[in-house]
Amino acid sequence: MAGGRGGGGAQARPRGEYRTREEAERAARVVLALLGAHLVGTVRAGLAARLPETYALILLNPLQAAEPLSPERFVRATAAWIEGATEKTALWDIGAVLSTVAAAAGDTLIRDVLLQLPPGYDLLFGHPQPT
């Protein structure tokens, strides 16, 4: 991904410092599709309800995951799905998208989301949890 920025649509564009809306949307689609594969039930539905419809549908119809991805593997998978991305640029994308998602979701829902994810995702969301 040229420039190595990430985000989640129009709201994440400033967070990710994207040059174009298309760059922000591409990152948001990939990150949300991967995230959706890790969430189930009312937590996934509740998070989708807080996102714009386009992104909610991506979250509700995720890529299939055979097993939960560790944060490191999530970064590698994101890099693989974004043309021209590296793990470093993918980490930027993930941070921009997930911090935007966290802001839209609020603390209570993000705590519920993090309970469904492998340890370490709190850092990707920008919400470090006490150990």
Side-chain angles (χ1 to χ4, degrees):
M1 169 185 230
R5 314 285 190 298
Q11 292 177 340
R13 188 171 170 200
R15 290 180 191 256
E17 299 177 16
Y18 293 104
R19 288 176 287 153
T20 67
R21 180 180 179 99
E22 291 75 25
E23 276 186 3
E25 289 177 357
R26 180 175 56 222
R29 289 175 190 279
V30 169
V31 172
L32 291 174
L34 288 169
L35 178 65
H38 290 74
L39 302 176
V40 296
T42 58
V43 170
R44 184 167 63 186
L47 187 57
R50 307 245 177 129
L51 300 176
E53 184 178 4
T54 300
Y55 299 115
L57 292 173
I58 293 166
L59 189 70
L60 293 171
N61 297 291
L63 296 170
Q64 296 303 309
E67 63 185 76
L69 298 175
S70 67
E72 295 80 15
R73 288 182 59 210
F74 190 90
V75 171
R76 286 195 296 271
T78 301
W81 279 94
I82 298 175
E83 185 180 339
T86 65
E87 287 185 29
K88 184 176 180 179
T89 63
L91 189 58
W92 183 276
D93 290 332
I94 291 165
V97 174
L98 294 185
S99 66
T100 302
V101 167
D107 290 341
T108 301
L109 182 54
I110 285 302
R111 275 194 300 276
D112 293 342
V113 166
L114 291 172
L115 288 173
Q116 290 192 4
L117 298 170
Y121 275 80
D122 55 332
L123 298 176
L124 295 179
F125 277 89
H127 279 251
Q129 302 296 304
T131 55

